[in-house]
Amino acid sequence: MRDLISIIVPCFNEEEALPIFYEELATEISKLPCDTEVIFVDDGSKDRTPLIIKELCAEHEGLRYVILSRNFGKESAMLAGLKEAKGDYAAVMDADLQHPPRYLSVMYDAVKNPPEGEHPESAACYRTRKGGKPVGSLFSRFIRKRFAKLSGIDIPIGATDFRLVSRKMLDTYLSLCESNRFSKGLFNWIGFETKWIPYENEQRCAGRSSWSRSGLYGYGLEAILSFSDKPLRYGAALGAISCTLALILAIWVVIKTIIWGDPVAGFPSLFCMILFMGGSILLFLGLIGRYISKIYMETKQRPPYVTKETGSARKHE
Ligand code: UDP
Ligand code: MG
């Protein structure tokens, strides 16, 4: 029996990109040696995206859609699609052709027919720097390096959400019940082997990215906070180092005063120290606050998304 691959496509304001995307996806799907179902997830778009999704579903077989009640963010949209997946494998890809559909067959092959000795339960693509904006690439390299160091979870620089997972991996992923999700980290945390496939960075086919630089920074910070308590430990270490330095300085000041009788010098350095300590305390208080807010949000146990409508393709006679 042929395998079924569920292809999940989160969409947020993608009215321009969707028709171009589907045309290319359909061409690649027809070449795959397996059956497919495509699940479009509309993540509360403000444009005609839900209408276009419904039109596509009415015109073509093997398509389904999930419409969320508002914008919950890409992670939630991906989760909504993955929960709907019925396939033996599930793939997630962007709707803007930055995840080239031709790599679906490469990823499927990597998981289905791995070389001797490899047992991947998932295959994922990572962008090589070629074609990427230099600043964006540097920034994401920085975030990824920090992430790997702070969280202890190692994902390649340029790792994307473009991924194909086996049913075993998918079921494990869905059994993780935290609502604040960073899927790249969670898939890595599961521990099953992932085959990483390089591809050249592609530009968006139409429309605009919904990420701003500050949004990306926030996403990176969220990712670190959801995976590790190392920032708190660094805070404690900084506190310990500061106390030791302060003690050494105090002894030095006492000795200096006794020997040279010079008690009033050093106001500028004192000012800098107070500023530094005040800043550090506020910074780490803020970090603790972020952890507490995460605990607060998790204890509410709200669902990560709310579904407004689901539907499937009209069957052709
Ligand atoms: N997306 C989404 N919800 C959001 C933001 C983005 O479902 O709140 C989708 C978007 O439609 C696209 C994918 O996630 O299919 C990647 O988004 P985008 O291209 O804006 O991000 P970038 O490629 O710039 O990282
Ligand atoms: Mg994109």
Side-chain angles (χ1 to χ4, degrees):
M1 220 173 84
R2 276 157 71 96
D3 285 329
L4 175 70
I5 304 184
S6 306
I7 300 168
I8 287 102
V9 188
C11 307
F12 178 58
N13 295 342
E14 298 287 6
E15 62 177 2
E16 289 171 49
L18 264 176
I20 313 170
F21 165 78
Y22 183 69
E23 209 183 302
E24 190 162 331
L25 179 67
T27 314
E28 293 303 325
I29 280 177
S30 63
K31 295 183 203 159
L32 284 172
C34 48
D35 296 328
T36 56
E37 60 166 1
V38 181
I39 305 172
F40 290 105
V41 183
D42 174 58
D43 186 19
S45 300
K46 295 273 177 285
D47 62 2
R48 294 178 57 251
T49 302
L51 290 177
I52 294 173
I53 289 176
K54 284 181 188 174
E55 270 168 33
L56 285 172
C57 288
E59 283 165 20
H60 306 276
E61 267 189 284
L63 309 189
R64 288 196 282 143
Y65 63 84
V66 178
I67 294 178
L68 305 185
S69 62
R70 63 170 173 85
N71 181 249
F72 285 92
K74 185 182 174 187
E75 288 289 346
S76 299
M78 289 193 296
L79 181 65
L82 287 170
K83 275 198 183 155
E84 286 289 319
K86 294 190 180 126
D88 307 294
Y89 296 86
V92 181
M93 63 194 303
D94 288 0
D96 55 9
L97 286 182
Q98 282 192 294
H99 296 164
R102 62 181 182 279
Y103 280 90
L104 282 172
S105 63
V106 181
M107 290 197 292
Y108 174 65
D109 202 45
V111 181
K112 181 80 182 168
N113 310 307
E116 196 62 31
E118 289 184 18
H119 307 282
E121 290 293 337
S122 130
C125 286
Y126 70 95
R127 282 187 309 257
T128 54
R129 288 192 71 189
K130 214 171 156 189
K133 285 187 215 143
V135 178
S137 300
L138 267 180
F139 183 74
S140 57
R141 282 169 84 88
F142 175 78
I143 290 288
R144 297 258 147 71
K145 274 194 180 152
R146 278 325 96 199
F147 178 77
K149 220 174 159 62
L150 281 170
S151 64
I153 284 187
D154 204 9
I155 45 179
I157 290 163
T160 65
D161 291 317
F162 190 18
R163 177 185 289 268
L164 180 136
V165 295
S166 67
R167 174 47 63 180
K168 183 173 157 190
M169 180 89 148
L170 176 61
D171 286 343
T172 315
Y173 175 77
L174 293 176
S175 71
L176 305 177
C177 50
E178 62 202 83
S179 59
N180 212 307
R181 299 178 88 89
F182 176 66
S183 55
K184 281 192 276 262
L186 286 176
F187 278 124
N188 189 293
W189 178 89
I190 289 172
F192 295 145
E193 209 175 297
T194 293
K195 175 84 184 167
W196 286 97
I197 297 161
Y199 79 103
E200 276 179 24
N201 194 39
E202 305 245 347
Q203 295 305 316
R204 206 167 222 288
C205 65
R208 282 179 35 212
S209 167
S210 39
W211 288 101
S212 62
R213 189 57 49 76
S214 60
L216 269 178
Y217 173 75
Y219 183 65
L221 186 65
E222 282 296 307
I224 291 167
L225 296 183
S226 17
F227 264 89
S228 122
D229 61 356
K230 274 194 187 157
L232 292 177
R233 285 193 243 162
Y234 288 163
L238 185 71
I241 293 169
S242 306
C243 285
T244 316
L245 283 179
L247 199 70
I248 294 171
L249 203 71
I251 295 170
W252 165 241
V253 167
V254 170
I255 294 173
K256 214 170 92 167
T257 312
I258 293 171
I259 299 177
W260 291 291
D262 180 22
V264 283
F267 273 117
S269 54
L270 201 65
F271 184 67
C272 290
M273 291 270 295
I274 290 172
L275 261 188
F276 174 73
M277 284 319 297
S280 315
I281 290 168
L282 283 180
L283 176 75
F284 285 101
L285 259 184
L287 268 179
I288 293 169
R290 294 292 292 269
Y291 280 103
I292 293 174
S293 94
K294 281 195 168 292
I295 299 168
Y296 173 64
M297 294 314 281
E298 288 287 340
T299 53
K300 283 174 188 273
Q301 296 197 321
R302 283 192 193 151
Y305 60 88
V306 176
T307 307
K308 185 163 94 182
E309 197 184 330
T310 54
S312 57
R314 196 185 60 199
K315 286 271 170 282
H316 291 252
E317 280 87 55

